[in-house]
């Protein structure tokens, strides 16, 4: 439960910090993401080395799937938002929760109760309603297809992480189960970040923009991003990809409350998300 709470707090703080930074400064987003990945990589390497320095390193090539999928997701984000209004995009992309459930059924062989299915649909509808304020503009068929593709890639990446970190058997390193789980969580995270670094490296050097963000604020963005990344990764290991999606829904609600603008759609969406999360639990 601690990982869920930390993930929610760090995600909300990260969103607020990014909103403030983008409103007041310009900076290389890809470079900040690269720094976040590098720091997470260093933390995982140091802690796993400290816990067990004798375990041989073995590359798990399955994590390259995540790197590829997240690259597609990031590319599609820029592509889609250039084709339609971001407000429309933020509503429609909420459908990815449905894909998370479907991939969990297929890849992880999970089963859900009727109450859980209903709760997830309620959460999905609630997130859409919260994001529905100020939605205007048209949407093309091609943009709609890209949104569906992005939802598929994002959801598949989430479920694939859970598969790589939880489903596959791991060598016994510690007799203590909690230390065993922590060690392999950090070891797997190291490999996942390792495959992602080259992508962010290419993106950081391809971006061409002026930078005027203070060093202290940039360091804070990296620190919060590291905390958020590790906390969300822990949610996959200690809970599931579906719970990870519910965390995202709770963050949407908290950000809507912080924004302080209420309409019938937003209030209805907040209530539905809360009821859906309670129904799942």
């Amino acid at each position: 439960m601690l990982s869920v709470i930390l993930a929610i707090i760090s995600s909300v703080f990260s969103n607020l910090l990014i909103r403030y930074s983008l409103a007041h400064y310009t900076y290389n987003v890809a470079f900040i993401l690269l720094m976040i990945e590098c720091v997470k990589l260093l933390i995982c390497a140091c802690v796993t080395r400290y816990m067990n320095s004798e375990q041989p390193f073995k590359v798990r090539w399955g994590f390259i799937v995540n790197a590829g999928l997240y690259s597609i997701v990031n590319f599609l984000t820029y592509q889609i938002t250039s084709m339609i209004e971001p407000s429309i995009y933020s509503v429609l992309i909420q459908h990815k929760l449905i894909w998370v459930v479907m991939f969990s059924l297929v890849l992880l062989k999970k089963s859900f109760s009727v109450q859980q299915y209903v709760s997830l649909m309620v959460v999905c509808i609630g997130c859409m309603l919260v994001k529905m304020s100020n939605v205007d503009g048209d949407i093309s068929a091609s943009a709609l297809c890209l949104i569906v593709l992005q939802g598929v890639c994002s959801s598949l990446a989430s479920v694939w992480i859970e598969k790589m970190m939880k489903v596959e058997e791991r060598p016994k390193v510690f007799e203590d189960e909690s230390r065993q789980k922590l060690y392999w969580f950090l070891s797997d995270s190291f490999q996942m970040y390792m495959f992602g670094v080259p992508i962010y490296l290419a993106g950081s050097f391809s971006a061409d923009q002026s930078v005027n963000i203070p060093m202290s604020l940039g360091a804070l963005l990296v620190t919060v991003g590291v905390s958020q990344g590790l906390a969300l990764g822990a949610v996959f290991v200690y809970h599931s990809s579906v719970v990870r999606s519910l965390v995202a829904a709770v963050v949407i609600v908290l950000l809507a409350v912080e924004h302080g603008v209420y309409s019938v759609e937003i209030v209805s969406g907040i209530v539905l998300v809360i009821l859906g999360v309670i129904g799942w639990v």
Side-chain angles (χ1 to χ4, degrees):
M1 193 62 185
L2 178 62
S3 60
V4 173
I5 296 173
L6 290 176
I8 292 173
I9 294 174
S10 59
S11 295
V12 170
F13 191 36
S14 177
N15 276 274
L16 294 176
L17 191 60
I18 290 172
R19 183 194 301 172
Y20 172 82
S21 301
L22 291 175
H24 294 84
Y25 304 100
T26 58
Y27 61 95
N28 188 329
V29 176
F31 181 75
I32 294 293
L33 294 174
L34 173 63
M35 290 298 98
I36 291 173
E37 294 299 295
C38 289
V39 173
K40 289 189 294 185
L41 196 69
L42 181 62
I43 291 173
C44 292
C46 292
V47 176
T48 51
R49 184 71 176 176
Y50 172 78
M51 292 181 69
N52 190 317
S53 60
E54 299 178 358
Q55 181 67 24
F57 180 78
K58 181 181 178 182
V59 177
R60 303 187 69 204
W61 293 101
F63 282 112
I64 203 170
V65 174
N66 291 92
L69 288 172
Y70 280 130
S71 298
I72 296 173
V73 169
N74 292 334
F75 170 77
L76 288 176
T77 298
Y78 290 105
Q79 189 68 26
I80 294 169
T81 51
S82 67
M83 298 170 65
I84 63 174
E85 289 294 325
S87 56
I88 299 178
Y89 164 72
S90 64
V91 172
L92 296 179
I93 194 59
Q94 302 307 320
H95 82 282
K96 63 185 179 181
L97 177 57
I98 299 172
W99 291 110
V100 170
V101 174
M102 292 180 64
F103 286 127
S104 296
L105 293 171
V106 175
L107 295 178
L108 305 179
K109 309 300 181 186
K110 289 190 174 185
S111 59
F112 303 102
S113 66
V114 174
Q115 179 178 328
Q116 287 177 319
Y117 279 118
V118 173
S119 297
L120 290 173
M121 288 303 300
V122 169
V123 170
C124 185
I125 295 171
C127 288
M128 289 183 174
L129 287 174
V130 171
K131 291 287 189 177
M132 200 169 282
S133 59
N134 299 323
V135 172
D136 53 11
D138 300 322
I139 180 171
S140 63
S142 57
L144 186 60
C145 290
L146 291 179
I147 290 173
V148 173
L149 175 60
Q150 187 187 40
V152 169
C153 292
S154 176
S155 303
L156 179 57
S158 295
V159 176
W160 189 262
I161 290 175
E162 184 179 354
K163 179 180 183 299
M164 291 291 295
M165 288 186 166
K166 288 177 63 176
V167 176
E168 299 185 7
E169 292 293 327
R170 321 311 310 280
K172 196 75 172 177
V173 180
F174 299 102
E175 292 300 325
D176 185 277
E177 187 61 31
S178 60
R179 295 191 70 191
Q180 167 84 359
K181 184 175 287 188
L182 175 61
Y183 176 84
W184 285 114
F185 159 58
L186 295 172
S187 178
D188 289 343
S189 297
F190 174 86
Q191 300 214 30
M192 183 170 62
Y193 303 143
M194 178 182 69
F195 284 116
V197 163
I199 297 171
Y200 291 114
L201 186 63
S204 64
F205 285 104
S206 62
D208 183 21
Q209 64 182 116
S210 60
V211 176
N212 65 357
I213 188 172
M215 184 72 73
S216 57
L217 184 55
L220 185 58
L221 280 169
V222 172
T223 302
V224 174
V226 170
S227 302
Q228 180 189 18
L230 291 175
L232 289 174
V235 172
F236 285 113
V237 174
Y238 293 94
H239 298 280
S240 67
S241 51
V242 174
V243 174
R244 163 66 180 85
S245 297
L246 293 178
V247 167
V250 172
V251 171
I252 288 174
V253 166
L254 292 176
L255 290 173
V257 172
E258 185 277 335
H259 193 55
V261 177
Y262 302 106
S263 63
V264 175
E265 292 86 359
I266 292 177
V267 173
S268 300
I270 291 174
V271 172
L272 286 176
V273 171
I274 294 173
L275 290 176
V277 171
I278 293 174
W280 171 268
V281 175

